[in-house]
Amino acid sequence: MATGETRATGDTRAAGETGFSDIVHDLITVQYHALKAGHDYEQFIRDAENADEREIAEFFRTVMREDAERARACHRYLTHLSGTRAAGSAVT
């Protein structure tokens, strides 16, 4: 079976192999990408400011704030799931 087919078939091997449920893995993935992007946005903002494109710089600031909120939401959800059966064996 190819990776990525677990949900389509109902196979839960991913949780069994890692100890994390799919939902915890998904939240961690979204949080990671939101936090990583925040670092990149700083450069995008500088690039826009250096090009005297204030509106574009503000757009990047808005995107950065949205991703920061997304990362905080993931953290809240992960905290909520911690210690529950829904989180998987790695965090129960």
Side-chain angles (χ1 to χ4, degrees):
M1 177 179 299
T3 302
E5 289 184 48
T6 55
R7 291 184 185 173
T9 63
D11 185 354
T12 59
R13 285 186 300 158
E17 292 170 0
T18 65
F20 293 98
S21 69
D22 286 342
I23 193 168
V24 167
H25 177 269
D26 297 345
L27 287 166
I28 290 169
T29 300
V30 170
Q31 185 178 44
Y32 168 80
H33 287 288
L35 293 170
K36 183 177 181 307
H39 175 34
D40 297 335
Y41 296 143
E42 291 287 344
Q43 181 61 51
F44 300 166
I45 292 166
R46 283 191 298 274
D47 291 345
E49 288 174 341
N50 289 340
D52 201 29
E53 292 290 346
R54 291 187 182 109
E55 185 177 346
I56 295 171
E58 187 55 37
F59 166 75
F60 288 132
R61 284 187 190 92
T62 299
V63 171
M64 186 169 63
R65 283 190 300 269
E66 290 170 352
D67 268 352
E69 177 51 37
R70 196 169 287 114
R72 282 189 293 275
C74 287
H75 183 77
R76 285 191 307 270
Y77 291 132
L78 288 165
T79 300
H80 167 76
L81 290 172
S82 182
T84 68
R85 291 185 67 197
S89 61
V91 289
T92 55

